[in-house]
C-alpha cells in the first residue's frame, strides 16, 4: 500500500469537505427577508463566504455592519442556520472514503473552520467521525479566525503533533494565507468555491481535482 508523505491533515470545511453553499444561502436570504432586505443569488453567496459568518452577513446586508438592523439580521441568520445546516449540505464525492482511508493509514486528522464552533463540531461529528479535532470560530477564547494561524496551532496542540509531516487542505485564498501563516504546505482543491485561475492568482502551487489524490505521494 502506498503511504502518503503527510501524516497530519488539517482540513478546511466549507468548500473542501462539505458543499454547504445552498444551506448558507438559504439562511442568509431567510434573515434578509425578515428585515425587508434584498436577497442574493447562490453565486453572490459563493463570493461572500470564506471569512466567517459575520463577514458573510456584512457582505450580504446593505451597508454591512453599519445598517441599523444588522445585528438583528445576523442573529436571525445564526439561529436559522443552526436549525437548517443539514438540509442540503453533503460531503463532496469521494471525501468520506478518502478520510476513512487516511485514518486507516494512521494519519492524524483535524478540521479548522471560520464557521461557528457549534455548527463546525456538529457537521464534522455527523459526516466525519474519523476526524479527531474540529475547531470553529472561537475568538471569545482568544483564538483568532483564519487566516490567523491560531486554529491550526490549536488543532496541532489538541492532536499532540508538531508541524513536521503536516499539511493544510483548503479551497480558497483564505486557506492559502492560513497555511502560509501557519508554516504549512497547502494543497488547494478544485471542487470547492474557487476555481483554478483564482487559486493560482492567489499563490496556489499544489492543486488537486479529486479527493483520492490526497492518498498519493507528492
Amino acid at each position: 500500500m502506498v503511504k502518503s508523505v503527510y501524516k497530519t491533515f488539517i482540513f478546511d470545511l466549507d468548500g473542501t469537505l462539505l458543499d454547504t453553499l445552498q444551506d448558507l444561502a438559504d439562511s442568509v436570504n431567510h434573515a434578509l427577508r425578515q428585515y425587508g432586505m434584498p436577497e442574493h443569488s447562490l453565486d453572490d453567496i459563493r463570493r461572500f463566504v470564506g471569512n466567517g459568518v459575520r463577514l458573510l452577513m456584512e457582505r450580504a446586508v446593505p451597508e454591512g455592519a453599519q445598517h441599523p438592523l444588522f445585528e438583528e439580521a445576523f442573529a436571525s441568520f445564526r439561529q436559522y442556520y443552526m436549525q437548517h445546516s443539514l438540509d442540503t449540505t453533503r460531503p463532496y464525492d469521494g471525501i468520506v472514503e478518502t478520510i476513512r482511508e487516511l485514518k486507516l493509514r494512521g494519519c492524524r486528522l483535524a478540521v479548522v473552520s471560520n464557521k461557528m464552533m457549534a455548527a463546525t463540531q456538529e457537521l464534522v461529528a455527523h459526516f466525519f467521525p474519523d476526524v479527531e479535532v474540529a475547531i470553529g470560530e472561537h475568538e471569545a477564547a482568544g483564538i483568532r479566525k483564519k487566516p490567523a494561524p491560531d486554529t491550526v496551532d490549536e488543532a496541532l496542540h489538541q492532536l499532540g503533533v508538531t508541524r513536521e509531516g503536516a499539511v493544510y487542505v483548503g479551497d480558497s485564498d483564505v486557506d492559502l494565507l492560513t497555511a502560509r501563516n501557519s508554516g504549512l504546505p497547502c494543497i488547494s482543491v478544485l471542487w470547492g468555491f474557487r476555481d483554478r485561475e483564482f487559486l493560482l492568482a492567489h499563490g496556489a502551487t499544489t492543486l488537486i481535482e479529486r479527493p483520492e489524490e490526497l492518498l498519493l505521494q507528492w
Side-chain angles (χ1 to χ4, degrees):
M1 179 183 294
V2 176
K3 294 184 178 179
S4 170
V5 170
Y6 301 116
K7 297 300 293 181
T8 301
F9 288 78
I10 310 293
F11 291 95
D12 171 55
L13 186 59
D14 295 43
T16 300
L17 299 181
L18 293 177
D19 184 355
T20 57
L21 195 59
Q22 188 64 60
D23 285 340
L24 286 168
D26 291 345
S27 300
V28 168
N29 286 329
H30 169 82
L32 296 175
R33 281 196 303 274
Q34 304 310 299
Y35 295 95
M37 300 174 187
E39 298 180 33
H40 289 282
S41 69
L42 200 63
D43 282 340
D44 288 339
I45 302 302
R46 187 189 304 275
R47 292 194 301 272
F48 295 164
V49 297
N51 297 89
V53 291
R54 186 175 183 88
L55 190 52
L56 166 61
M57 285 302 291
E58 287 182 10
R59 291 165 172 164
V61 170
E63 301 176 54
Q66 302 305 311
H67 194 289
L69 295 177
F70 174 79
E71 295 298 339
E72 289 87 342
F74 183 40
S76 176
F77 162 83
R78 290 172 67 99
Q79 180 180 24
Y80 187 89
Y81 185 69
M82 285 305 301
Q83 296 171 351
H84 295 273
S85 63
L86 290 171
D87 285 2
T88 65
T89 288
R90 296 290 182 273
Y92 290 101
D93 289 346
I95 283 289
V96 171
E97 295 82 2
T98 297
I99 292 289
R100 185 178 302 125
E101 179 62 24
L102 288 172
K103 182 69 172 180
L104 288 173
R105 295 184 183 190
C107 295
R108 309 300 302 278
L109 308 172
V111 167
V112 297
S113 175
N114 280 342
K115 187 187 290 294
M116 296 173 286
M117 177 68 85
T120 297
Q121 294 184 334
E122 177 184 351
L123 289 167
V124 171
H126 181 79
F127 288 110
F128 308 110
D130 290 321
V131 171
E132 302 163 72
V133 172
I135 299 172
E137 189 175 12
H138 200 44
E139 293 191 18
I143 298 175
R144 297 170 297 170
K145 68 182 182 180
K146 302 184 295 183
D150 299 28
T151 51
V152 173
D153 291 344
E154 180 64 18
L156 293 171
H157 172 72
Q158 290 189 28
L159 289 172
V161 300
T162 67
R163 282 172 170 73
E164 184 177 358
V167 65
Y168 186 96
V169 184
D171 75 304
S172 72
D173 53 326
V174 174
D175 294 317
L176 286 160
L177 281 172
T178 301
R180 187 178 310 149
N181 292 338
S182 302
L184 296 181
C186 187
I187 298 172
S188 298
V189 308
L190 293 174
W191 56 79
F193 298 162
R194 304 289 185 263
D195 62 23
R196 181 187 296 271
E197 290 71 23
F198 180 94
L199 291 168
L200 289 173
H202 286 83
T205 57
T206 302
L207 300 99
I208 61 173
E209 296 181 345
R210 302 183 311 279
E212 53 268 30
E213 292 178 61
L214 291 171
L215 304 174
L216 304 176
Q217 296 195 54
W218 296 94

